[in-house]
Amino acid sequence: MRSAEMIELRRGDMRESLHRGHAIICDAHGVVEAWGKPSQIVFPRSSCKMIQALPLIESGAADAAGLTDRQLALACASHSGSAMHVRAVDKWLTGLDMAEGDLRCGSHMPGDPAEYRRLLCSDAAPCQLHNNCSGKHAGFLTLNRHLQGGPEYVEPAHPVQQAVKAAFEEVTEETSPGYGIDGCSAPNWASSLEGLARAMARFANPGTDRRGEAMRRLVDAMRAHPEMVAGEGRSCTALMRAMGGGVAVKTGAEAVFVAILPQQGLGVALKISDGATRASEAAITALLIHLGVLEAADPVAQRYLNGPILNWRGLKTGELRCASGFPA
């Protein structure tokens, strides 16, 4: 099997561009529907942050630190670096008697327009709190303090990352073929796309044991605080709000997207082969509509799929659509 045609850009009456990829829907028993190649090996990137946060809860570190649901959502976030996010991570670190310098995620300009403008106009430099992964790293530091590990918690052999690897392989039910270093300097373990979807289905069907409780808490935190998971104007936040908090979704770099549907007991994972974010946002929107949890006519749905693409004069020039056969 090869990649499937998933999303196309139409201009006038013609197809101008085509995005191919792979998408898998799993339930507690296995694959329900698939497009492309289920065994395709991918780096989940930030789409797997809820897996990376499992040891934070399972170890007892989250409860020992008194973490709130809002902080647990932030541990799963690729946030925009808004003032709200920066303050939240700073407060978290202060509660640990730590500071920005203890992070190992690096600095970049924030995606939040207001904070970007503030830094630019004040000629100030961003700090690590602005990093979209700083919430995940605050979670790593919380776990690391509990484990009494060394300061370089992003090293693959560090107890924090070994705990993450063990959780990742257990919930994907696969031995990872290897890792790459993510943009935030932490190792990102690879799996098949089916394994990633299988993991999301486990989050949708959590048991009553310690792991199940950890999964439930993380999903509930994401659904209750979508603004912490991404930010205003971002697809994860907008889609979760549009679905009334019933579904958790999470994007990852290079066009990976996952969804957790607790009421339906389903997990979804997709990867667009060319790494285009516009296509992964359109594809997850199409699958959420296909699964009956998002209305096709919802303005948020139309923002990412079938809505008009306008030029600088406000004229419609095209639209992103599903390619024939996806997802129907």
Side-chain angles (χ1 to χ4, degrees):
M1 294 179 65
R2 59 180 189 142
S3 60
E5 294 188 359
M6 291 173 65
I7 301 296
E8 62 184 25
L9 175 65
R10 306 286 299 188
R11 187 178 298 270
D13 295 326
M14 297 177 61
R15 174 194 278 180
E16 184 174 29
S17 299
L18 173 66
H19 299 283
R20 303 182 66 96
H22 313 270
I24 315 295
I25 300 172
C26 284
D27 64 11
H29 306 290
V31 175
V32 176
E33 291 184 86
W35 298 263
K37 185 179 177 183
S39 61
Q40 180 68 34
I41 300 297
V42 301
F43 288 114
R45 304 297 297 271
S46 288
S47 75
C48 71
K49 282 181 176 174
M50 66 289 288
I51 301 176
Q52 294 173 314
L54 283 173
L56 172 63
I57 297 178
E58 293 176 351
S59 67
D63 288 338
L67 297 188
T68 65
D69 283 352
R70 192 166 181 262
Q71 288 171 313
L72 292 179
L74 193 55
C76 300
S78 298
H79 65 71
S80 298
S82 71
M84 172 185 69
H85 297 119
V86 169
R87 285 194 301 267
V89 179
D90 187 45
K91 181 179 179 181
W92 186 343
L93 294 177
T94 300
L96 297 173
D97 294 323
M98 294 183 181
E100 181 263 351
D102 292 301
L103 296 169
R104 295 293 185 266
C105 53
S107 305
H108 62 72
M109 286 295 281
D112 178 73
E115 185 67 2
Y116 184 99
R117 185 166 53 250
R118 185 189 72 80
L119 290 173
L120 198 63
C121 293
S122 63
D123 201 28
C127 68
Q128 293 186 99
L129 300 175
H130 290 100
N131 189 298
N132 73 97
C133 294
S134 63
K136 177 180 79 173
H137 282 248
F140 285 161
L141 282 171
T142 305
L143 175 60
N144 190 36
R145 187 180 73 166
H146 192 75
L147 298 176
Q148 299 182 334
E152 302 307 318
Y153 63 86
V154 294
E155 294 295 327
H158 192 280
V160 166
Q161 300 307 327
Q162 286 299 298
V164 169
K165 179 190 179 187
F168 184 81
E169 292 187 329
E170 286 163 11
V171 298
T172 58
E173 300 179 25
E174 296 179 357
T175 298
S176 175
Y179 68 88
I181 300 302
D182 215 333
C184 68
S185 298
N188 194 249
W189 298 94
S191 74
S192 73
L193 198 63
E194 180 180 345
L196 185 58
R198 186 162 50 237
M200 295 305 106
R202 291 192 66 179
F203 275 86
N205 298 276
T208 57
D209 58 0
R210 178 178 295 182
R211 170 147 297 165
E213 179 59 24
M215 288 177 163
R216 186 177 293 105
R217 287 178 65 182
L218 290 167
V219 173
D220 287 349
M222 291 174 68
R223 294 190 296 165
H225 299 281
E227 75 285 353
M228 302 308 294
V229 176
E232 299 304 321
R234 300 275 304 283
S235 58
C236 290
T237 297
L239 286 167
M240 283 193 280
R241 284 176 176 166
M243 292 181 288
V247 176
V249 298
K250 185 69 188 71
T251 189
E254 296 302 316
V256 182
F257 229 121
V258 301
I260 301 167
L261 289 72
Q263 292 185 351
Q264 293 78 11
L266 299 175
V268 180
L270 69 86
K271 161 73 176 177
I272 299 297
S273 299
D274 61 16
T277 297
R278 71 176 187 184
S280 64
E281 292 176 339
I284 196 67
T285 299
L287 289 172
L288 294 170
I289 294 169
H290 174 65
L291 293 171
V293 292
L294 178 65
E295 294 292 333
D298 190 289
V300 172
Q302 300 231 334
R303 182 189 312 171
Y304 300 111
L305 182 69
N306 296 328
I309 296 174
L310 306 178
N311 69 8
W312 301 113
R313 291 184 59 208
L315 301 176
K316 179 180 177 179
T317 60
E319 60 186 19
L320 284 173
R321 295 182 185 173
C322 292
S324 178
F326 178 79

